[in-house]
Amino acid sequence: MKSALEIKPDISYKSAGKFEETRFEKIHNEIFKNSAEASVIVAQEIAQLIRSKQEKGKSCVLGLATGSSPIKVYEELVRMHKEEGLSFSNVITFNLDEYYPMSRENNQSYHYFMHQHLFNHIDIKPENVNVPDGTVAIEELNQYCIDYEMNIKNAGGLDFQLLGIGRTGHVGFNEPGSHINSGTRIITLDHITRVDASSDFNGIDNVPKRAITMGVSTIMRSKRIVLMAWGQNKADIIKRTIQGDISSEVPATFLQNHPNATFVLDQSAAVELTRFKTPWLVGECIWTQELKSKAIVWLCQKTKQSILKLTDRDYNNNGMSDLLAQEGSAYDMNINMFNDLQHTIKGWQCGNTNTD
Ligand code: GLP
């Protein structure tokens, strides 16, 4: 499959405005050439927030995430601290989640991860760092989770929440089935999540079965949310989250109702969005030969017809009326495309690829 990077140059919208282009999308998103470029922009937004709070003599409350997605953001924040004097002295952090049970010293713990990638390299006050504690006794967990929520509230609430997304559509560890009103709690990890974590733990049997996570409602109360996703293996869940119906089956879809959430994507993570995958469904296209064959093959699959049986109506009903107008009729277009595709078959007419 082609990456959006490869497809994009073929898709230039003649007059389609931003609104038309994104009309299937229910969450604001920004797409960058790569994760490095995008991470710098996200880090700059965080730094700006920290500085503006500093100027007002206020603390800045950040919700932080683990996983591979935010690593470059942390790298950039550390660079800004070292080279540009960005201070974290007014910052209070709350991490989203932690495996359970999990000791802090374990190098798979999120406590360890956060210190390794961020806290050890900046001037944050140790007492301002909050990562759910994977060592709390099970009978004390309920109260511990209530206290975690209260601590966020007492700090003034989250000003900014950084998120990644799991292939199950989880944010934090809010797995499918999580309720919109859920708070910080213990949760059983989805099998797919444990499979994805298995390489870090040297096999699925070593991946904890449970975790402590902030709830969906905890995340939704943040004043600003930025979710990052990189790479093609996130493309499917990103499409379902941005374009699908809100459902606890894909907990990240709850973010559709957040008034100030942005998804920051690289081009590969965005490749399944309708405006890249089937751009003729969102607006007028410049019909290059490559785009035409992609669209017609798609139309055959959609209508379950062979090329020579596609009708004017098939084209008109599937966002290709401008192509139809340009080419004259379905009849001519079908034959031309049939011949084009036929020429790609080696051995046709005893090897004469130019014979129709
Ligand atoms: C884990 C974390 C999530 C994170 C997700 C995606 O499950 N609990 O907070 O978003 O992994 O990880 P990655 O960024 O490595 O794709």
Side-chain angles (χ1 to χ4, degrees):
M1 186 202 271
K2 292 196 162 210
S3 75
L5 183 60
E6 288 170 279
I7 296 168
K8 227 179 167 184
D10 294 334
I11 309 162
S12 46
Y13 300 94
K14 278 183 216 146
S15 59
K18 189 84 176 147
F19 174 72
E20 191 178 27
E21 192 187 342
T22 58
R23 67 194 151 109
F24 291 106
E25 298 169 21
K26 302 165 190 170
I27 300 179
H28 170 243
N29 59 83
E30 297 285 345
I31 299 162
F32 291 84
K33 209 164 77 202
N34 56 52
S35 62
E37 205 173 89
S39 299
V40 169
I41 301 292
V42 174
Q44 281 168 355
E45 180 178 339
I46 296 172
Q48 213 169 7
L49 181 65
I50 294 172
R51 288 193 181 110
S52 80
K53 292 273 184 177
Q54 255 156 19
E55 280 161 20
K56 294 176 198 139
K58 290 187 171 170
S59 53
C60 179
V61 185
L62 301 179
L64 297 180
T66 50
S68 56
S69 309
I71 288 178
K72 292 198 187 97
V73 173
Y74 297 149
E75 264 171 31
E76 178 63 9
L77 288 173
V78 170
R79 191 200 65 75
M80 287 174 170
H81 170 68
K82 292 194 169 148
E83 294 175 15
E84 295 169 11
L86 174 67
S87 172
F88 291 77
S89 57
N90 66 326
V91 172
I92 304 173
T93 64
F94 289 89
N95 259 82
L96 279 167
D97 46 15
E98 178 61 281
Y99 291 108
Y100 186 86
M102 179 59 73
S103 74
R104 293 176 173 195
E105 300 70 37
N106 188 322
N107 56 15
Q108 296 313 329
S109 76
Y110 287 165
H111 184 274
Y112 185 94
F113 175 100
M114 287 308 302
H115 284 78
Q116 184 193 22
H117 289 284
L118 185 65
F119 301 143
N120 288 347
H121 314 288
I122 57 175
D123 63 340
I124 192 164
K125 295 177 187 138
E127 64 272 25
N128 284 353
V129 167
N130 300 275
V131 181
D133 183 355
T135 67
V136 174
I138 191 85
E139 60 279 10
E140 288 164 19
L141 253 183
N142 198 24
Q143 188 56 47
Y144 177 82
C145 291
I146 293 170
D147 292 346
Y148 200 78
E149 289 278 333
M150 281 312 289
N151 292 342
I152 296 174
K153 202 170 166 207
N154 293 338
L158 298 168
D159 293 307
F160 182 103
Q161 177 65 59
L162 193 60
L163 293 175
I165 186 168
R167 282 197 302 142
T168 59
H170 72 211
V171 281
F173 269 134
N174 290 285
E175 297 287 22
S178 293
H179 197 270
I180 176 78
N181 289 334
S182 55
T184 301
R185 67 201 187 288
I186 186 154
I187 190 157
T188 300
L189 297 178
D190 191 279
H191 180 68
I192 294 176
T193 301
R194 294 184 67 236
V195 169
D196 285 349
S198 60
S199 57
D200 293 337
F201 282 88
N202 224 348
I204 191 162
D205 292 341
N206 303 322
V207 181
K209 293 194 170 63
R210 290 180 293 175
I212 302 170
T213 183
M214 274 187 200
V216 177
S217 77
T218 328
I219 294 167
M220 290 293 282
R221 275 195 295 273
S222 176
K223 295 171 193 88
R224 166 85 172 132
I225 295 177
V226 171
L227 183 148
M228 297 173 303
W230 323 131
Q232 201 157 339
N233 71 335
K234 295 285 171 75
D236 184 52
I237 196 64
I238 284 296
K239 181 193 176 181
R240 288 174 71 197
T241 302
I242 292 182
Q243 299 193 177
D245 293 335
I246 296 176
S247 147
S248 64
E249 271 306 295
V250 181
T253 56
F254 289 126
L255 299 172
Q256 290 179 16
N257 280 336
H258 194 280
N260 193 13
T262 297
F263 279 22
V264 175
L265 311 172
D266 66 1
Q267 290 185 331
S268 308
V271 79
E272 289 291 322
L273 295 178
T274 302
R275 63 175 145 141
F276 299 118
K277 178 107 180 178
T278 50
W280 48 91
L281 294 179
V282 299
E284 287 187 20
C285 303
I286 291 181
W287 287 101
T288 61
Q289 197 57 25
E290 194 187 351
L291 192 61
K292 253 194 279 180
S293 49
K294 183 178 162 173
I296 292 174
V297 169
W298 172 86
L299 188 58
C300 289
Q301 284 164 344
K302 170 114 197 292
T303 58
K304 298 191 172 68
Q305 300 276 14
S306 61
I307 292 183
L308 294 175
K309 289 197 169 161
L310 294 172
T311 63
D312 286 1
R313 184 176 290 182
D314 290 328
Y315 285 98
N316 281 333
N317 285 352
N318 289 286
M320 296 182 213
S321 55
D322 59 332
L323 176 62
L324 192 60
Q326 182 185 306
E327 302 284 317
S329 71
Y331 181 81
D332 293 333
M333 192 153 53
N334 292 349
I335 289 186
N336 287 339
M337 189 48 62
F338 180 81
N339 289 340
D340 264 13
L341 291 175
Q342 165 203 314
H343 293 163
T344 67
I345 303 171
K346 276 205 167 143
W348 184 266
Q349 294 280 332
C350 306
N352 185 353
T353 48
N354 285 325
T355 307
D356 292 339

